[in-house]
Amino acid sequence: MSFLQQERWVMRVAAMLVFWASFAGAAPNPASAKIDRMVLTKLEENGIPPSGLCTDDVFLRRVYIDMIGTIPTPQEARRFLRSNAQNKREALIEELFERPEYADYWAMKWCDLLRVKAEFPSKLWPNAVQAYYRFVRTALCTNMPYDEFARQMLTSSGSNFRAAPVNFYRAMPQREPETTAGIVALTFMGMRTDLWSDEQLQGMAAFFGKIGYKGTAEWKEEIVYFDPSLSYTGPDSKEPVVPRLPDGTVVELGEYDDPREAFSDWLIGSRVFADNIVNRIWYWLLGRGIVHEPDDIRPDNPAQNPELLAFLSKELVEHDFDLRHIYRIILNSKTYQRSSIHNAGNLADESGFSRYYIRRLDAEVLIDAICQITGTTESYSSDIPEPFTFIPENQRSITLSDGSITSPFLDLYGRPSRDTGYASERNNTPSAAQKLHLLNSSHIQDKIMKNKKLLGQYVRKPDPAKKKSQTAWREPNEAIELMYLTILSRYPTAKETNEAIRYARESGLNRQEAAVDLVWALLNTKEFIFKH
């Protein structure tokens, strides 16, 4: 039996087995196992064999980056890699949910989608940015149910400084109801309205035609509120438009009924609401949506695996819109934990999830990792400075609340400008300029030179003659191990250790210079720059 025939046989019996246990003797989460069965069934239909599971060191780095946008420290890496616990992957996932970086990282992702930015085009201004960011981050930290999270943004009224969710309506380039309807559809339905009919778009826009805005005596403060005196008329017909849901249903409302409430009731009860967010989470964790792009849900762009999308949506609703439940069952699945290394049959697969898809680190994650490794900080600035935009240098990039505040590195590596809310606004495609920056820039070289501990020094050893400790060099094997654990979150192989020692001996460089070269080389590897 050929290798491909063996793989197909395995897939045919997979639905009857408890397969691919991550740890010896551990039973998989039933929902996670169902994800795997659905993915494997689709792969079998297309004759694509899946890759095997990734190793512990690969999983460690992957889940840290995907969950908290942070690489593990050497101590954290050692602790996980030395553990023999059968459920250590599952336990690590639960541990990362409780890290403050979890809320930091996912607030960053949500702020990209919500266009959280003080300056043009959102023009939220700094006070509102801080209030909005705190609302988003707190919702993630406390695991606010997703339906409540969305409802608060869609229906709240009040000051944009004090009732933070109203900034959803403030962070828009224009305030016409059609623009509002388009942003609501993009954010909570994963749909683009540019190809909708005028009747469909205007029917949805009518739900947002009674939103009023008024200023206060406080600088940049604005009140967002339901104004029953307003009415929405068609841009061309100049006639009042009856609120009409995207499915065509006409909604009858009283004079003092807030149309936003009626729309939110429909939206949260609709299938598309759940489909959109579980598809986005799948995209965020696996690099490609079940519907792709993740913000282009439409009839002629069908889901790659409709049964999987329906299952995840059902899980979300049945678990009271608990987003962590969706993260949990995806992260614990064999589908997420597959190796990124292709086999003979799945090299061409770009949409079936037969392997983990390699992609470059987000700009913020990459510079935070470099700073963590080298023990250095970054400087940030805004092109149009406003009060309260000063950022301490020791603040991590994933915690930047304001899209107006940036750095040359973040711009070079494709951080989104937060102008549109589209997923494609973030550009993680590697470029020659990016490669040259890591290879040749004084910015990176200076960071490497500053961390003496990483370069093998600063081991305190007792000095009997002076009755105190002194700084000494680490043993070569120990120094190399620390570099690999710090940068790549794994132990070096014997070959890698021997090669590093050989280079240090034969290069003619002193010990520190050789150590700088090794750190520089590791920072420029694809293994460091990419998620894999």
Side-chain angles (χ1 to χ4, degrees), residues 199-200 202-208 210 232 240-267:
E199 181 184 32
Q200 188 178 16
Q202 291 173 20
M204 182 168 163
F207 288 100
F208 307 101
K210 293 180 180 289
Y232 171 64
V241 176
V242 177
R244 186 186 300 270
L245 296 169
D247 64 6
T249 304
V250 173
V251 178
E252 299 291 340
L253 297 169
E255 181 181 358
Y256 296 102
D257 292 333
D258 188 340
R260 298 177 301 168
E261 297 277 1
F263 179 82
S264 298
D265 289 341
W266 170 81
L267 175 67

Side-chain angles (χ1 to χ4, degrees), residues 133-236:
Y133 176 79
R134 284 195 298 270
F135 164 73
V136 172
R137 189 185 181 284
T138 300
L140 293 163
C141 189
T142 60
N143 198 29
M144 178 187 291
Y146 180 61
D147 57 337
E148 181 183 345
F149 178 68
R151 188 183 293 277
Q152 285 198 36
M153 285 191 281
L154 289 171
T155 64
S156 291
S157 296
S159 161
N160 64 320
F161 290 176
R162 296 164 178 80
V166 303
N167 284 292
F168 177 75
Y169 292 112
R170 289 278 290 104
M172 298 185 184
Q174 294 91 32
R175 294 178 177 176
E176 291 81 4
E178 297 90 345
T179 300
T180 303
I183 290 176
V184 170
L186 181 74
T187 306
F188 296 113
M189 301 166 64
M191 294 183 175
R192 306 174 185 182
T193 59
D194 45 343
L195 297 180
W196 284 17
S197 67
D198 289 343
E199 181 184 32
Q200 188 178 16
L201 179 58
Q202 291 173 20
M204 182 168 163
F207 288 100
F208 307 101
K210 293 180 180 289
I211 300 174
Y213 302 85
K214 62 182 179 182
T216 74
E218 188 168 350
W219 182 79
K220 305 294 188 183
E221 183 182 32
E222 196 165 22
I223 306 297
V224 179
Y225 64 103
F226 163 55
D227 186 350
S229 69
L230 297 176
S231 62
Y232 171 64
T233 57
D236 298 323

Side-chain angles (χ1 to χ4, degrees), residues 15 79 139 177 292 354 400:
R79 176 170 59 87
H292 198 73
S354 62
L400 291 176

